[in-house]
Amino acid sequence: MTKPLIPALAQFMAATAGRNMTKAAYAAVTIGVFSLVLLTVNSAHQAHRWADALLWACLAYFVFEWLVRLRHMARQHRLALYVSSAAGLVDAIGALAVPVALVLGVEPGTAWLLSVLWVLKVVPGIPGLRQLRRVLVLESGPLLSVLVIFLMVVFLASVAEYFLERDVQPQTFGSVPAALWWAVVTLTTTGYGDVVPVTPLGRMVAALVMISGLGVFGLWTGILATGFAAETRRDNFLKTWESVSKVPFFAALGPAAIADVTQMLRTMDLPARTMIIRKGQKGDCMYFIAAGEVEVDLPGKKVQLGDGAFFGEMALLGNNMRGANVSTTKVSRLLVLDLVDFRVLMARHPDLAQTIDAEATRRALENK
């Protein structure tokens, strides 16, 4: 009974030593946050005891995780690098924040509020976070320019409202710092309504500030949207390039030609047993198999096509009706070339046109 446990424990510790979040870590964060919320609710004493016990269990796991990673990094002589890294600091805070607060005499109910910092551990695993960071870096100039405009409008509006409203509403507009609250709330179009100008000129300034707020946040949204779109296109281009370069059919092409082909192709990831082509349908594209396998259902036989093969070209070369059913036999990644792009590609690369035409002729003879 102990022999299977030892490899399992070793595997668990090896997974924990890595920098990625494990399923156990995700479970601990989820349980810990739920227990923290339960601890703040005025409920039965028994529920609080359960929440307290679960929080201690989660804390024990995060301390164990931190110690395992410290030991692993020390063995690899990278302890200093890990301790000073963002991941190391988050692990240390998750393991030490609550115990240190309790040792310093902080009331337990308040000390356990620091367990909310455990949610920081899931940040590296958020999909697209690296892409967001890259967009923020690349678009930092325009974003900072809009931020400067935001701050200028806030300050100018605060001074204007202070001048116009200080005598009428000395409690709310009695100073520029007091007017700053109104300016921020108005420029962000939040509009709490707790501070409102009452003079005609003050309301005119407020209207201009609200319009400026729409423009400022519209600029921020446009900059981020454009940056994300460009980054997404870049990522898709790289992924498609990688898939195209693996297809033997394109192996003879140079980098410039592959880049040309990559801009025309679109990728399609399909699960097993998915129908791609139905017999009798109108054909408007052909497919290249970057990875996986498909099955062509021909009269009297079924043909399997694997990595590097292509199909669907018959409908683009002559009769545009599909001549057979094609479906995936396992998880596959396909590269799709539409009819218009197919003709452009054939015109630019006659050698590819000859290869596809020869393969189509061979298959037509086999299918007779």
Side-chain angles (χ1 to χ4, degrees), residues 153-190:
V153 174
V154 165
F155 184 71
L156 291 173
S158 301
V159 173
E161 289 295 344
Y162 165 71
F163 174 74
L164 296 170
E165 299 284 332
R166 59 181 176 177
D167 295 330
V168 182
Q169 301 185 77
Q171 293 182 345
T172 54
F173 289 98
S175 65
V176 171
L180 278 172
W181 167 253
W182 167 87
V184 172
V185 169
T186 305
L187 190 59
T188 56
T189 67
T190 305

Side-chain angles (χ1 to χ4, degrees), residues 39 52 55-56 59 95-114:
L39 197 66
D52 195 57
L55 284 170
W56 277 110
L59 177 61
L96 299 177
V98 175
V100 169
L102 292 173
V103 169
L104 293 177
V106 178
E107 194 269 328
T110 302
W112 279 117
L113 292 177
L114 293 173

Side-chain angles (χ1 to χ4, degrees), residues 30 50 58 85 92 96 113 174 181 194 259 268 270 333 357:
T30 303
W50 274 104
C58 294
S85 66
L96 299 177
L113 292 177
W181 167 253
D194 55 342
M268 179 184 294
L270 298 175
R333 165 166 283 195
D357 188 55

Side-chain angles (χ1 to χ4, degrees), residues 303-326:
V303 179
Q304 278 74 36
L305 301 177
D307 296 358
F310 58 88
F311 59 93
E313 78 289 346
M314 302 291 288
L316 305 184
L317 292 172
N319 182 14
N320 63 353
M321 302 302 291
R322 299 296 191 186
N325 293 327
V326 182

